[in-house]
Structures are given as C-alpha cells and as structure tokens.
Amino acid sequence: ALQRVQQLLVQAAQRVCPAHAFVFELPKDAVRRSAAASAGGDLQCRAVSTIWRKLVAGARGAAVVRVETVSEFGLKRETDYTSAADLARAVLAQLPEGSREVVADARVLEEDGSLQLSTQLHMRRMRAAGMLHCAACGGFYAGRRGLRDHAQIKHRAPYEEATEAVHAARGALVRYARTPEEAALTRLWEARAAAAEAARNSLPAPLAAARDGDVEALRALAA
C-alpha cells in the first residue's frame, strides 16, 4: 500500500507543482510509516513542506507564491498559494480517480503542510481492534466512550453531537479486502481483538461465581 500511495501522490503533485513533484520521491520526503499509527494514520509524508520552502525561497520570501502549470493541451495556468497547507490541500484534491480504493483518509497538518494518511487496510485493522475513527481529526479512539469523550474534550462538541459522531463512526462503511491476503489479515486482527476483549472481561473464579449466582461453586471455593 505504501508504494501505491506514493505513486498516487506523485501523480497529484505533477498536476499541481510539476517542477517539484520529484520531491515526493526523495528518501527523506517520500511517504513513510507513521510512528503514531496506533492512534492515527499509518502513513505520513512531508514532501509538500519541503516543496513550500523551495517555492518561498524562489519567490524571495513573498507571502503569496505563484505556481504555473501547463495542461496536456498546452494551456498555461497560474495559481496562487498562501501557505504549505494551502498547497497540500491542492495536491490532495488532485489525487487520481480510484485513489479511495487505497487511501481511506487524508489530512493536512496546518502547521507545515505535512500529510497524514490512513490506508484502507489500516482502517480495517483499527476497526477490527474496536477503534473508532474521528471524522474531525482523523484519529482513532477506543470504542464508543473513547470517541465520545474525545469529541467533547478535544473538539468541544456538545454531548448530543459527540454521540452522533459515535453513531456515524460505527456505521461508516469499511471497504472489503481486495485480496485473499488482506481478508486473512482482517480475520486475524478480529480474532486477536476478540481474544483480548475476552481476557479483559474474564474474572477470577470467586468473582465469576458470585456474578453468576453459582452458590455451589462459591461453597466449593470457600471449602
């Protein structure tokens, strides 16, 4: 998935800033695994941030940077950008048709224009683990309570709005696995999540007997 996302971003950049699209393929700027994948997107890319610095340097520090593109029909077009985030949004808007088959969610960091992305495979992995996706920021949170509390605290959403966000996240469709390998991975993640949930819910024998009202078991344990 990483290589495919890389290709998609290069294609998009060629439509927005063709003279600098090569930056997406530089080792330090290419798409890479995110260290924060356990709570957010599984991929990140800082190429736009680097491109923006190059453009600003070329414009001698101007507040607005103008980029010229030429269509396949030879038509020239000039577009003004005011920030790295502005440029990054333009790149995401030009992702080729069908990119949603690979990229489930793409976000722009306003500070520097870096991209945070969640692949469809990552979305399935997080859903299998009981993590719900926040449509407002792209993060993942544990179950209904986790997402609701996040929406209320981080996004200052009223209780009703936070509850609606939870319902939307639980009802969001996750694309089916595209290959037998992906399907097998999904089943493995679901099995692991179920086992972890069972372990969390398990109780010591005395407490389990008390919960179930098993008097005979309690007597035997007390003997």
Side-chain angles (χ1 to χ4, degrees):
L2 186 152
Q3 291 301 321
R4 181 55 181 150
V5 172
Q6 172 82 14
Q7 293 170 358
L8 291 169
L9 286 173
V10 169
Q11 291 177 42
Q14 287 171 342
R15 299 176 181 177
V16 176
C17 48
H20 294 85
F22 71 92
V23 173
F24 277 88
E25 300 181 280
L26 297 178
K28 68 183 182 67
D29 294 305
V31 177
R32 64 180 61 186
R33 303 289 179 190
S34 172
S38 62
D42 55 328
L43 301 178
Q44 61 184 12
C45 180
R46 58 188 298 274
V48 176
S49 180
T50 299
I51 291 173
W52 179 252
R53 290 197 300 272
K54 291 179 178 294
L55 291 172
V56 170
R60 299 186 178 182
V64 176
V65 171
R66 181 164 295 172
V67 178
E68 182 181 280
T69 57
V70 181
S71 74
E72 58 182 316
F73 303 108
L75 298 176
K76 292 184 179 181
R77 179 182 179 184
E78 292 183 338
T79 305
D80 291 342
Y81 300 100
T82 58
S83 67
D86 193 18
L87 180 63
R89 282 188 286 271
V91 171
L92 291 183
Q94 289 299 323
L95 282 172
E97 185 178 351
S99 62
R100 293 288 295 178
E101 293 293 327
V102 182
V103 180
D105 187 74
R107 305 277 166 162
V108 174
L109 292 184
E110 292 296 325
E111 301 81 35
D112 64 357
S114 294
L115 302 177
Q116 301 290 325
L117 309 108
S118 291
T119 61
Q120 292 289 353
L121 188 61
H122 183 60
M123 195 70 79
R124 284 196 291 275
R125 176 168 55 237
M126 299 303 274
R127 176 66 69 86
M131 303 292 283
L132 295 180
H133 181 248
C134 176
C137 66
F140 292 89
Y141 299 89
R144 303 181 188 183
R145 177 68 179 273
L147 179 56
R148 189 184 66 214
D149 289 351
H150 163 75
Q152 289 184 278
I153 297 171
K154 178 67 175 180
H155 303 300
R156 300 185 181 278
Y159 179 83
E160 294 77 11
E161 187 177 321
T163 301
E164 289 177 4
V166 171
H167 291 324
R170 295 186 69 241
L173 296 177
V174 177
R175 291 181 183 272
Y176 289 109
R178 296 183 302 158
T179 66
E181 291 78 11
E182 289 185 1
L185 276 174
T186 301
R187 289 194 295 272
L188 175 62
W189 293 328
E190 290 173 344
R192 286 178 176 174
E197 181 67 17
R200 285 194 296 270
N201 293 333
S202 64
L203 293 172
L207 293 179
R211 178 196 62 195
D212 299 334
D214 191 337
V215 178
E216 293 299 324
L218 286 170
R219 288 173 177 170
L221 289 168

